[in-house]
Amino acid sequence: MPRVFDGAGATTFAASLRVLRPHGTLVFYGPLIGDVPTIAMNDIPRSTRLTYAVTEDHVRTPEELAARAAELFALVERGELVVRIGGRYPLAEAARAHADIESRTTTGKLLLLP
């Protein structure tokens, strides 16, 4: 099933909707760059789903968070989940890391190192 994951918000939301195929799902996980504009139901492509995942709806207690985090780290340790590190920046270069993210020239996770 085709999915689009959008964590940016205002600058990418309309384009994310446009690229959805029939029966696709737009998984919106946060307005990181700006609020999402209000949309009418008719603006959502037909036969698609739109979901807004909020952590608090899925992980309700500190104990559940700890258990899920332990499961996640176990997957990484066993090599079943590979975390791609796209760059490492000294903490003093945090502004450059942010600029690189905003320029969309990075892939994977960026690490800020003390």
Side-chain angles (χ1 to χ4, degrees):
M1 180 174 314
R3 291 185 185 99
V4 174
F5 293 84
D6 187 330
T11 59
T12 59
F13 193 80
S16 293
L17 278 176
R18 280 194 305 273
V19 300
L20 278 176
R21 291 189 227 155
H23 306 287
T25 302
L26 172 56
V27 179
F28 181 69
Y29 58 93
L32 301 179
I33 296 176
D35 289 336
V36 174
T38 301
I39 59 172
M41 288 296 292
N42 290 339
D43 292 339
I44 300 172
R46 293 180 182 211
S47 300
T48 61
R49 287 178 293 281
L50 176 60
T51 182
Y52 184 6
V54 178
T55 302
E56 294 81 21
D57 290 340
H58 300 279
V59 181
R60 297 190 178 259
T61 66
E63 295 79 20
E64 187 176 2
L65 177 60
R68 289 183 184 236
E71 181 181 351
L72 175 67
F73 291 126
L75 289 170
V76 173
E77 287 176 351
R78 291 193 306 265
E80 295 177 40
L81 176 64
V82 177
V83 179
R84 183 177 186 175
I85 305 299
R88 290 174 169 82
Y89 298 78
L91 188 56
E93 294 181 20
R96 184 171 68 100
H98 283 273
D100 288 351
I101 291 170
E102 290 174 11
S103 72
R104 303 189 76 148
T105 58
T106 63
T107 58
K109 302 299 178 189
L110 301 186
L111 302 180
L112 294 176
L113 305 171

